[in-house]
Amino acid sequence: MRNKRTSETIARLLENARYEVLPTASTEDKVLEHLPRDRTVTVTASPSKGLEATLDLAERLAGHGYVVVPHLAARMISGRTELAEIADRLVGKGITSVFVPGGDAEPAGDYLDALALLEDLAALGRPFAHVGITGYPESHPSIHDDLTVQSMWDKRRYATHIVSNLTFDPAVVRDWLHRLRARGVTMPLLLGIPGPVERTKLLGMATKIGVGESTKFLAKNKGLFARLAAPGGFTGESLLDKCAPALGEPGALVEGLHVFTFNQIAETEAWRVDLLASLRR
């Protein structure tokens, strides 16, 4: 049984949940059919599809009235000239928020990591009011833990918030949050959690992402498919219940959720709405 504080914390986070989608042919229709216009939608960047797919979908969703956050993967952008063109294009469509991961692609040009792109965004006059960066509660497969925390410290002058990568361990979330705040990283955090997923749809989405990218994705999220697809296994709700005490601490600065939908958009919104309703009863 949840206590009142836990219920209030989870409800607040659900009310401030945004949805990550992948730019496939059916995504726009799914968003329009199942998401109210007050939901924020983030659009991933896929090396196999190219950044144009991300920008195009982001522009179209913005045109429908959604708050949209395109992912500008640093390694997919050739340099400051292209970055300036992208910024002008997005700002012209009323897009005021971006998410800047380093990305897994081979570098297209000058940017080997997110920090280099963030520095150029600042040099271009900080065209976006909101700039998110990645946080790694669990070990990154190729970057030492201390370096990931140091990286967030280095980026703090250029970013406005942190989006955490997926994790399944509430103790890891708690300890990571404490490390961040003790280090003096005070940017607000959006906690990354998976939406409700079905094994067959998840595997199908991995195929759409691309074989090479799926391999990298699985390397970064060991056990993801097994944990999400196991009967009675992991759910976003169970994670929120266990994380809520840490997420609700004064100074935690956890402002909302970043929900990885794997393009199961209808199911994810139904889950959010139903859970919110049960919390309010």
Side-chain angles (χ1 to χ4, degrees):
M1 177 68 92
R2 299 183 183 101
N3 62 38
K4 182 179 179 182
R5 182 177 176 184
T6 293
S7 295
E8 289 174 346
T9 297
I10 296 173
R12 174 177 62 81
L13 296 175
L14 288 168
E15 288 166 353
N16 294 286
R18 69 184 198 178
Y19 291 161
E20 178 177 299
V21 302
L22 299 107
T24 66
S26 62
T27 303
E28 181 180 8
D29 289 340
K30 287 182 177 180
V31 170
L32 288 172
E33 182 177 358
H34 300 293
L35 293 188
R37 296 302 196 275
D38 64 355
R39 289 296 95 205
T40 296
V41 182
T42 86
V43 184
T44 64
S46 161
S48 65
K49 295 183 178 299
L51 199 57
E52 179 58 34
T54 298
L55 302 177
D56 179 61
L57 179 58
E59 289 175 335
R60 284 186 279 124
L61 292 176
H64 291 301
Y66 292 96
V67 174
V68 184
V69 184
H71 293 210
L72 302 185
R75 294 163 72 94
M76 293 175 67
I77 297 173
S78 60
R80 187 180 294 187
T81 298
E82 183 182 5
L83 180 62
E85 292 170 354
I86 290 170
D88 288 345
R89 174 178 172 179
L90 295 176
V91 169
K93 296 294 185 179
I95 293 172
T96 61
S97 181
V98 293
F99 176 63
V100 182
D104 294 321
E106 289 300 313
D110 297 339
Y111 302 130
L112 302 183
D113 55 32
L115 180 58
L117 187 146
L118 291 166
E119 289 170 342
D120 271 3
L121 274 180
L124 291 170
R126 301 180 186 267
F128 301 105
H130 307 284
V131 178
I133 59 172
T134 308
Y136 296 97
E138 296 188 355
S139 295
H140 188 282
S142 60
I143 306 174
H144 190 277
D145 290 354
D146 287 341
L147 292 179
T148 64
V149 175
Q150 178 66 43
S151 175
M152 281 180 284
W153 175 258
D154 294 339
K155 295 172 187 173
R156 74 193 187 287
R157 292 173 292 167
Y158 307 108
T160 58
H161 59 278
I162 300 167
V163 178
S164 77
N165 210 353
L166 278 175
T167 184
F168 301 101
D169 189 334
V172 167
V173 172
R174 180 197 63 222
D175 293 346
W176 178 68
L177 258 178
H178 290 167
R179 284 181 65 208
L180 274 184
R181 301 318 182 199
R183 186 69 174 267
V185 178
T186 57
M187 284 180 286
L189 172 71
L190 297 172
L191 179 69
I193 68 167
V197 294
E198 297 174 17
R199 184 179 181 83
T200 54
K201 289 185 178 180
L202 192 58
L203 291 170
M205 185 52 58
T207 302
K208 289 181 181 178
I209 293 169
V211 175
E213 290 167 64
S214 296
T215 302
K216 292 175 183 175
F217 181 82
L218 289 172
K220 290 193 295 183
N221 297 277
K222 293 177 181 177
L224 171 68
F225 281 66
R227 302 271 314 254
L228 293 180
F234 179 89
T235 66
E237 182 176 351
S238 65
L239 178 67
L240 288 174
D241 276 329
K242 294 170 184 174
C243 286
L247 302 180
E249 287 178 0
L253 300 176
V254 182
E255 292 193 341
L257 302 175
H258 180 96
V259 186
F260 296 85
T261 70
F262 303 100
N263 277 22
Q264 296 189 44
I265 294 165
E267 296 89 341
T268 302
E269 175 65 356
W271 165 79
R272 186 188 74 89
V273 170
D274 290 347
L275 182 51
L276 260 177
S278 71
L279 291 165
R280 289 168 173 162
R281 282 198 289 269

